[in-house]
Amino acid sequence: MTIEVLEIARELVRARFPQARAAWLGGSAVLGTATVTSDLDITVLLAGPPAPYRESLRYHQWPVELFVQTEASMQHFLAMERKARRPATLRLIGRTYILADRDGSGEYLQRRCAAELAAGPAPLTVEELRSARYRVTDLLDDLTGSRDDTERLLIAADLWRATAELLLTGHGRWTGSGKWLHRELTAFDRDSGTEYSKALAHGMRSVASGNIEPMLGIVGRVLEMFGGRLFEGFRAEGPSRST
């Protein structure tokens, strides 16, 4: 990240949020993964209204995503993301440059979010693991049975996602959506000395070329790590009725 980018982000915060308790610049600009289409991800903590809201804009020709929070709204999103094991807000605060820190909350929340990211999510419950195995098994059967090339490719995309999520959450790792799921899987491989990301990507490319065997192989190996395929005997309880 360049000094120019950091100064532009600070200038935006000073101009639009002089009352901010804290603000952080996160995302690809900080992580070193920026591309020509990347934007500046800026999270701002306010004491109250007009927060919370999200806004997309341009500032000095830079595309900017603003995440304007109160402490209460931030805790709400953090709780939702912990449950889903997709730590978007934790990343946007824990892996950042501090742009403003009026009352110490900038440094405190950055440190707290970074520690939680490093600790990882809660382990899967028995029910969650069974549900994940069932979903991967179901998609695997769909891929095996399909004879339509387009349908196979769409099933394989869902299967890639479900398998990556099972692998990560089954090992106590955070997951994500889109590019972040790929990045988390790549980080897992780097830390573990494995190549699941490459194997799953190869499986996807093979399905696109008309060969499903590599995808079946890597998904089957991941399933075996967690007890194998699951269909017969699977049961999921519905929500209980309110009285």
Side-chain angles (χ1 to χ4, degrees), residues 126-138:
V126 172
E127 292 78 13
E128 287 174 326
L129 179 57
R130 285 176 59 83
S131 291
R133 288 171 56 203
Y134 173 80
R135 173 160 173 72
V136 172
T137 300
D138 189 46

Side-chain angles (χ1 to χ4, degrees), residues 186-197:
T186 301
F188 172 77
D189 282 335
R190 183 175 61 247
D191 295 342
S192 306
T194 52
E195 293 190 340
Y196 291 107
S197 178

